[in-house]
């Protein structure tokens, strides 16, 4: 069995809109009420996946969820026509596009039974996301039906779980045993800590992990707008790339990392707050990058073009790759529509270390499949959605028709 890292990107759904539903997400709040461009957003996502394929990476896809979520509204005694505006917006949310929140994944080398374990996130902290997990679970059970995987039900409320956006893994290489790091939030001023340590511990137990690390995200980071750990830190193989103020007790955390993997030379690339403030890091989504290992063995940062447009951030990055560190390439990608709603390149993907031969091939991408997906998007996705259009029956019908056109490519059971 050949284990590789597969990045499963969420295809941006046709209901992509700016309703400003995510408290603590500064970009989402800032752009609330703006006109969104679902077609452009989805095509930007496809272009990012194409760029990943060109880098030699293995690429997967997840499908948009059915929107509006009539079943969820019905459970509240409402429907798309009668629901209050904020409930209608929550039912129409396309936030499942951010696959980093779809689930937490523990690769087979880390687990007691030697299977890759996946637990969908309950996302209970945010009403517009708390109804995502049934659609996510259905896709996970299709994509990972092979006995090489174990797909769990989500952790029950009241313990909030936001998935891989608060989870990191360090190891010598992807197919080797590693240490899994669960980052949880406590307080962040006016903003909620979305990942509860109880949920993280439950996932670790369900996955059969022997010695995970649980570390608190810094209150300063949450208060500055780092609503998930992946806004201030990302890991890949033996490298941890993090802001100086990412963790509440970083010294203890770094010591624990070294103790868990004594045979691996963990390299911590820390961005100093004196050169790149938390505000700069969060505005540019410097850390919401895909830190990946290329087929050549070198590491690259796939980051949003906003990082290049921030002088302080880009200057620090150029100094980084000019040195002799582990990160050797910068690959800017344009995901502006996602960024405007609070999600960068890393938000759009879920990392799964597995043998591609064990994954349902419908969920694996190549150029031909991405061309077919792009064709459906170009023909069917709305060009724009104004904030006052969510109640329009014609828009609802168009969104449903667009998704069905995509499912017709081979996903009829969804």
């Amino acid at each position: 069995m050949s284990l590789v890292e597969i990045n499963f990107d969420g295809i941006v759904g046709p209901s992509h809109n700016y309703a400003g539903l995510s408290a603590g997400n500064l970009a989402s709040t800032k752009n609330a009420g703006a006109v969104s461009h679902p077609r452009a957003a989805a095509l930007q996502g496809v272009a990012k996946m194409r760029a990943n394929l060109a880098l030699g990476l293995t690429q997967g896809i997840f499908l948009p969820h059915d929107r509006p979520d009539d079943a969820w509204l019905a459970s509240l005694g409402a429907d798309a026509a009668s629901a209050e505006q904020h409930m209608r917006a929550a039912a129409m949310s396309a936030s499942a596009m951010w696959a980093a929140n779809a689930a937490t994944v523990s690769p087979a080398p880390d687990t007691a039974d030697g299977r890759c374990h996946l637990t969908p996130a309950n996302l209970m902290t945010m009403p517009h996301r708390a109804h995502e997990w049934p659609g996510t679970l259905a896709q996970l059970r299709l994509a990972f039906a092979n006995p090489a995987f174990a797909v769990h039900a989500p952790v029950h409320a009241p313990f909030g779980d936001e998935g891989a956006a608060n989870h990191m893994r360090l190891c010598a290489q992807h197919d080797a045993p590693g240490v899994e790091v669960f980052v949880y939030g406590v307080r962040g001023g006016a903003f909620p800590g979305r990942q509860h340590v109880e949920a993280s511990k439950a996932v670790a137990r369900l996955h059969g992990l022997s010695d995970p690390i649980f570390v608190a995200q810094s209150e300063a980071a949450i208060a500055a707008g780092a609503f998930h750990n992946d806004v201030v830190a990302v890991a890949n193989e033996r490298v941890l790339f993090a802001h100086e103020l990412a963790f509440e007790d970083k010294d203890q955390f770094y010591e624990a990392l070294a103790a868990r993997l004594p045979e691996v030379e963990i390299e911590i690339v820390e961005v100093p707050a004196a050169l790149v403030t938390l505000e700069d890091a969060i505005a540019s989504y410097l850390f919401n990058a895909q830190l990946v290992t290329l087929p050549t063995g070198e590491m690259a940062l796939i980051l949003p073009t906003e990082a290049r447009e921030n002088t302080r951030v880009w200057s620090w990055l150029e100094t980084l790759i000019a040195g002799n560190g582990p990160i050797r390439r910068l690959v800017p990608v344009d995901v502006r529509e996602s960024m405007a709603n609070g999600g960068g390149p890393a938000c759009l993907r879920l990392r799964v270390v597995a043998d591609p031969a064990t994954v349902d091939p419908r969920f694996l991408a190549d150029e031909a499949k991405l061309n077919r997906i792009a064709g459906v998007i170009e023909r069917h996705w709305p060009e724009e959605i104004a904030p006052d259009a969510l109640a329009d029956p014609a828009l609802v019908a168009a969104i449903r028709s667009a998704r069905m056109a995509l499912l017709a490519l081979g996903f009829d059971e969804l």
Side-chain angles (χ1 to χ4, degrees), residues 117-140:
H117 287 248
L118 302 96
T119 296
N122 62 34
L123 295 163
M124 57 154 286
T125 309
M126 296 291 157
H128 70 290
R129 304 210 65 178
H131 57 100
E132 280 179 23
W133 70 262
T136 297
L137 182 58
Q139 292 198 49
L140 295 180

Side-chain angles (χ1 to χ4, degrees), residues 284-286 288-289 302-308 331-333 335 339 344-345:
S284 66
Y285 270 34
L286 163 62
N288 198 251
I302 301 168
L303 32 68
T305 52
E306 282 80 356
R308 185 171 56 192
V331 184
V333 294
V335 288
M339 286 285 289

Side-chain angles (χ1 to χ4, degrees), residues 369-395:
K369 185 173 292 183
L370 292 181
N371 287 341
R372 292 194 294 273
I373 291 169
V376 170
I377 292 167
E378 288 166 348
R379 292 190 298 273
H380 296 281
W381 258 232
E383 184 174 356
E384 63 180 38
I385 296 180
D388 59 355
L390 295 181
D392 183 353
L395 175 63

